[in-house]
Amino acid sequence: MAETINLKTRSGLAFTTDVDGPVGGPLVLMLHGFPESRHSWRAALPVLAAHGYRAVAPDQRGYSAGARPDPADLSNYAFDRLIGDAIEIAGAAGYDGKRFHLVGHDWGGQVSWGVAGAHPDRLASLTILSRPHPQSFRQALLKEDGDQKHRSRHHRAFLEPETAKLLLADDAKRLRDGLFGQGVPSAALEDHLSVLGTPEALEAALAWYRSNKGLAADIGTISVPTLYVWGDADATVGPDAAYGTAEFVKPSLAMEVLPGVGHFVMDQAPARTTDLLLAHLAKHPV
């Protein structure tokens, strides 16, 4: 059964983390996206544990109250620090210097691409949900006849100083109706808001966008065996960016398209996604 612990890293940050599975089993580190939380992985943790994996799902920098440096200083949320957190969390979980499996959704996917680019030797496998490779995303944004710029229009709003207040107004109506309006169950929504539904947490989460404008990080071709899962009803990631990801993963990319599923894959299709993840992990043991 999953338990919630605080993992303190070498940088002095304490991450609120759900863990399940045998201590010493192959590590599966799972990084959530925005505007979600460690609860994204609640369906996957017990299944991974039953298969002998040590599943570790933290609330990331800014989401965890103990890992929330001042968001007014955007350098605290620079991309290299987010990448460093993933490596340090693996170390704090008992896997310092050891290879592990990495799973990321949305912003957690962006960080996971960064980890795979900077530390390929540490990863046995990479699984990305929704978030295309950053170079593919950049190409899609630049297409004159493409729709990715329209799909990503909310990113510009996230840079405005009043955004957190607007998103939390009227019992977080804009978060509930806008960002979660893709078939996310109400129970999952409440779990995420229990983490993100305060001005302090939301300002820190938005600092990820403000510190890393454009989201097109300079990440080259990924050599880690990669599973990319995309729902074809994703309102924020279009087919150009999704299918273009194959150009930037060599030699091993497996892409799975989930019909009728939107952006929040683990909240909408947890069983199917977890099955795909398990099969990928089995093909690429630590």
Side-chain angles (χ1 to χ4, degrees):
M1 182 176 179
E3 61 174 328
T4 302
I5 64 174
N6 279 326
L7 284 180
K8 190 168 184 178
T9 65
R10 287 191 298 267
S11 298
L13 302 180
F15 292 86
T16 305
T17 306
D18 286 348
V19 297
D20 204 349
V23 175
L27 172 63
V28 183
L29 178 59
M30 315 184 83
L31 304 180
H32 66 81
F34 178 90
E36 297 192 290
S37 67
R38 70 186 192 279
H39 298 295
S40 299
W41 311 110
R42 63 196 171 283
L45 262 64
V47 180
L48 290 167
H51 284 78
Y53 294 101
R54 180 65 167 171
V56 173
D59 283 331
Q60 294 197 78
R61 178 179 289 244
Y63 295 74
S64 288
R68 188 176 294 153
D70 185 2
D73 181 355
L74 293 180
S75 69
N76 286 324
Y77 294 85
F79 194 53
D80 60 346
R81 296 203 172 183
L82 306 178
I83 291 172
D85 286 343
I87 296 298
E88 291 195 14
I89 289 168
Y95 295 81
D96 196 18
K98 298 178 181 178
R99 297 173 76 233
F100 61 95
H101 301 284
L102 183 59
V103 185
H105 170 252
D106 184 76
W107 248 118
Q110 180 85 350
V111 173
S112 297
W113 287 122
V115 173
H119 305 281
D121 56 315
R122 292 295 307 278
L123 301 184
S125 78
L126 178 66
T127 300
I128 304 289
L129 311 182
S130 306
R131 181 72 191 163
H133 187 285
Q135 300 294 357
S136 181
F137 181 70
R138 175 184 288 164
Q139 287 185 354
L141 277 176
L142 293 175
K143 282 190 174 182
E144 289 296 330
D145 57 348
D147 70 343
Q148 188 58 54
K149 189 174 294 186
H150 177 73
R151 291 174 184 263
S152 299
R153 63 194 183 280
H154 58 286
H155 293 173
R156 293 188 294 274
F158 291 166
L159 306 181
E160 299 299 324
E162 296 298 309
T163 294
K165 185 183 297 184
L166 290 171
L167 289 176
L168 292 176
D170 300 322
D171 192 27
K173 179 176 173 57
R174 285 178 175 83
L175 275 178
R176 294 171 185 277
D177 296 348
L179 296 175
F180 285 122
Q182 295 191 58
V184 175
S186 59
L189 189 153
E190 296 304 328
D191 282 344
H192 298 317
L193 286 175
S194 74
V195 174
L196 195 59
T198 67
E200 296 80 11
L202 191 53
E203 285 290 355
L206 290 169
W208 289 45
Y209 288 92
R210 293 162 179 166
S211 181
N212 302 279
K213 296 180 179 69
L215 307 187
D218 188 15
I219 298 169
T221 299
I222 299 301
S223 60
V224 177
T226 301
L227 169 66
Y228 176 49
V229 181
W230 173 69
D232 68 3
D234 192 323
T236 60
V237 176
D240 286 344
Y243 286 106
T245 291
E247 181 182 345
F248 300 99
V249 182
K250 307 290 182 185
S252 177
L253 174 72
M255 181 172 174
E256 293 284 347
V257 178
L258 302 182
V261 174
H263 185 69
F264 299 100
V265 175
M266 278 302 300
D267 283 326
Q268 295 175 267
R272 174 64 175 145
T273 306
T274 302
D275 285 347
L276 291 169
L277 171 60
L278 279 172
H280 185 58
L281 301 184
K283 288 179 182 176
H284 305 285
V286 171

